[in-house]
């Protein structure tokens, strides 16, 4: 699809053989703008993309990665170490080192300049080969989000997500306008009869759109 049905213009870069996350990006280099979003196709993350991009320009680094502090024990392990200034100092998805304090959430903003680290036509893992370079250069920073990411890349993860969507939709009438129902579900559980007083007590942030 070219996206016209949805009011979009979509262009595709086709890999004859898989080139990995980095190699695939390098192949599409002529289609990529000077600043681009990279979104994991197997993760659902309902966040404000505009806020992420604005923060990227404010930080003036080559990479801004959304990160989530797992205080609600979701079945994803920490894979980045972020310091008090939100600089990412380590990326490691192979170990369970307690130093790792955030989960990389699957949505990031990059300067196109990072593609210079990738050789054309080669199989490259962006995370395993480019991330370490950016971390060493001090060019990778974290953007903390408070909405958990959902893994929809496995049958088990997709089943869990579909179940939660069903529950959230069934409870829609119980949630006041402007409250992120997914956040409520993950943080407090359902059923939850949410009133303005309770929202104030829990210090919940009310956005403009709420849950649709």
């Amino acid at each position: 699809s070219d996206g016209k049905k949805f009011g979009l213009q979509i262009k595709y870069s086709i890999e004859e053989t898989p080139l990995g996350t980095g190699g695939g990006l390098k192949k599409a280099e002529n289609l990529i703008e000077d600043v681009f979003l990279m979104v994991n196709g197997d993760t659902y993350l309902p966040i404000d993309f505009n806020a992420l991009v604005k923060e990227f320009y404010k930080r003036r680094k080559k990479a801004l990665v959304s990160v989530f502090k797992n205080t609600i024990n979701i079945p994803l392990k920490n894979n980045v170490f972020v310091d008090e200034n939100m600089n990412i100092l380590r990326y490691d998805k192979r170990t369970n080192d307690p130093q790792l304090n955030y989960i990389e959430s699957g949505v990031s903003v990059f300067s196109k300049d990072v593609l210079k680290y990738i050789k054309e036509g080669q199989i490259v893992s962006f995370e395993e080969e480019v991330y370490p370079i950016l971390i060493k250069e001090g060019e990778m920073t974290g953007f903390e989000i408070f909405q958990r990411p959902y893994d929809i890349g496995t049958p088990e993860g997709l089943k869990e997500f579909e179940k939660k969507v069903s529950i959230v939709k069934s409870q829609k009438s119980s949630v006041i306008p402007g409250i992120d129902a997914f956040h409520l579900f993950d943080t407090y559980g359902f059923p939850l009869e949410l009133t303005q007083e309770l929202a104030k007590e829990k210090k919940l942030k009310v956005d403009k759109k709420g849950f649709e």
Side-chain angles (χ1 to χ4, degrees):
S1 171
D2 59 7
K4 288 182 179 178
K5 180 180 178 181
F6 305 101
L8 303 173
Q9 184 181 34
I10 301 175
K11 295 181 180 180
Y12 295 88
S13 175
I14 308 298
E15 300 170 35
E16 294 180 3
T17 57
L19 295 171
T21 48
L25 276 172
K26 186 68 174 182
K27 189 176 188 303
E29 187 170 10
N30 66 324
L31 300 177
I32 295 175
E33 297 187 3
D34 291 341
V35 171
F36 66 93
L37 276 163
M38 187 167 74
V39 182
N40 288 2
D42 58 358
T43 302
Y44 176 77
L45 184 64
I47 63 170
D48 185 345
F49 290 88
N50 288 325
L52 189 66
V53 173
K54 287 179 181 177
E55 189 65 21
F56 171 83
Y57 284 108
K58 187 185 298 184
R59 301 279 185 93
R60 297 184 178 183
K61 300 286 186 179
K62 292 178 183 178
L64 179 67
V65 178
S66 63
V67 294
F68 176 76
K69 186 177 281 292
N70 188 11
T71 58
I72 56 175
N73 296 319
I74 64 173
L76 294 172
K77 67 178 185 178
N78 293 341
N79 57 7
V80 292
F81 171 57
V82 184
D83 70 12
E84 64 275 10
N85 296 314
M86 295 308 293
N87 295 305
I88 294 179
L89 303 182
R90 185 179 170 196
Y91 173 82
D92 182 354
K93 65 179 182 180
R94 301 182 186 278
T95 70
N96 293 306
D97 191 327
Q99 183 193 39
L100 304 171
N101 55 354
Y102 280 88
I103 298 170
E104 179 200 15
S105 302
V107 179
S108 306
V109 189
F110 294 96
S111 164
K112 188 177 181 178
D113 187 51
V114 301
L115 299 183
K116 71 182 181 183
Y117 303 119
I118 305 170
K119 292 183 179 180
E120 191 171 347
Q122 294 195 358
I123 299 173
V124 175
S125 167
F126 196 78
E127 297 82 358
E128 296 290 340
E129 298 183 45
V130 178
Y131 276 21
I133 296 173
L134 294 172
I135 291 172
K136 185 177 180 179
E137 292 182 345
E139 289 290 340
M140 178 171 280
T141 184
F143 179 78
E144 185 172 11
I145 60 169
F146 300 94
Q147 167 60 55
R148 65 155 286 187
Y150 289 87
D151 176 16
I152 56 174
T154 64
E156 298 78 15
L158 184 59
K159 186 176 181 180
E160 179 199 5
F161 176 68
E162 289 175 338
K163 181 179 179 180
K164 290 194 174 185
V165 169
S166 177
I167 294 173
V168 167
K169 284 185 174 180
S170 72
Q171 293 292 330
K172 183 178 178 181
S173 61
S174 300
V175 181
I176 61 173
I179 292 294
D180 184 334
F182 269 98
H183 180 69
L184 288 176
F185 182 88
D186 293 327
T187 306
Y188 303 108
F190 276 100
L192 176 63
E193 293 293 335
L194 186 66
T195 64
Q196 292 283 358
E197 289 74 22
L198 182 56
K200 184 176 181 180
E201 176 188 337
K202 299 294 185 183
K203 297 181 180 179
L204 297 173
K205 183 178 179 181
V206 179
D207 59 29
K208 294 180 180 179
K209 294 182 179 179
F211 177 70
E212 300 177 351

